[in-house]
């Protein structure tokens, strides 16, 4: 891998920091805010199968939007303070808040769309669907944030193995700590 491609990969990985935090946030929020722990699909079914299932809640979706926006704002503050500027793909000062909101929302929507397909093929909520479970949020975040800024595609594709492994590591840790039902 050339130095310039490696640099672009690191920039794309840094750019999507809000999406990773958004994806982790439903697990990190745990059992707090129980009033919002309502299934997004409202318990509805489609051809006898749940649309999304009980594990996709408004609490998780909102936690992701908040986490995405907060992380992006911290990156913006860092940029304005001159920190990690070499990793910045965009002028953070020119794009307050919106990319963070879009990455948080996109991560949650990507995850929920994946759950929709899991229910269609009879995979129970919480049971694993390797590769799709690890990359769903990134695809969603990429598509949503592209409304304001589309990160370069080739480095984004090169990020996939890193994101896949990072996600596995987080899930394995969550499983050991008792937050997750499966290790993968
Ligand atoms: N979660 C949530 N709301 C969301 C997304 C996630 O409450 N919109 C919580 C659920 O408790 C879920 C956990 O975060 O069990 C881990 O999320 P994830 O791995 O995405 O869901 P799964 O449990 O694997 O469910 P599914 O089979 O529907 O993907
Ligand atoms: Mg899962």
């Amino acid at each position: 891998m050339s130095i310039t491609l490696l640099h672009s990969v690191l920039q794309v990985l840094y750019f999507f920091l809000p999406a990773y935090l958004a994806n982790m946030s439903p697990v990190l929020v745990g059992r707090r805010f129980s009033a919002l722990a309502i299934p997004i699909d409202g318990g509805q079914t489609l051809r006898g199968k749940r649309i999304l299932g009980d594990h996709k809640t408004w609490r998780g979706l909102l936690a992701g939007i908040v986490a995405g926006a907060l992380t992006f704002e911290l990156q913006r503050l860092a940029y304005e303070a001159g920190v990690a500027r070499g990793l910045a793909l965009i002028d953070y000062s020119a794009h307050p808040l919106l990319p963070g909101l879009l990455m948080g929302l996109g991560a949650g929507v990507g995850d929920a769309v994946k759950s929709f397909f899991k229910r269609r093929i009879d995979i129970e909520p919480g049971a694993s669907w390797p590769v799709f479970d690890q990359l769903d949020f990134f695809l969603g975040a990429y598509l949503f944030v592209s409304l304001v800024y589309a990160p370069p595609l080739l480095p984004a594709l090169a990020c996939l193995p890193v994101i896949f492994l990072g996600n596995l590591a987080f899930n394995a840790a969550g499983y050991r700590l008792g937050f997750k039902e499966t290790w993968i």
Side-chain angles (χ1 to χ4, degrees), residues 67-83:
L70 282 179
T71 309
F72 187 84
E73 287 308 289
L74 288 177
Q75 288 177 298
R76 193 164 63 82
L77 288 178
Y79 182 85
E80 283 167 1
V83 178

Side-chain angles (χ1 to χ4, degrees), residues 120-132:
R120 296 306 99 203
I121 58 172
D122 290 323
I123 302 177
E124 290 297 309
S128 75
W129 193 24
V131 185
F132 298 100

Side-chain angles (χ1 to χ4, degrees), residues 129-153:
W129 193 24
V131 185
F132 298 100
D133 276 333
Q134 282 76 35
L135 299 178
D136 51 7
F137 79 95
F138 185 68
L139 182 64
Y142 189 99
L143 291 176
F144 274 58
V145 82
S146 294
L147 293 172
V148 285
Y149 169 74
L153 200 54

Side-chain angles (χ1 to χ4, degrees), residues 13 16 20 134-135 137-138 156 159-168:
L13 284 172
F16 281 103
Y20 319 138
Q134 282 76 35
L135 299 178
F137 79 95
F138 185 68
C159 287
L160 294 179
V162 181
I163 288 163
F164 177 77
L165 292 175
N167 199 306
L168 281 188

Side-chain angles (χ1 to χ4, degrees), residues 26-27 40 52 55-57 59-61 111 114-115 118-119 124-127 133 180:
V27 177
I40 297 169
L52 301 176
H55 287 194
K56 297 293 117 116
T57 65
R59 173 172 66 187
L61 188 65
D111 176 49
K114 181 267 333 252
S115 290
K118 279 172 91 172
R119 301 300 88 83
E124 290 297 309
D133 276 333
K180 293 277 303 180

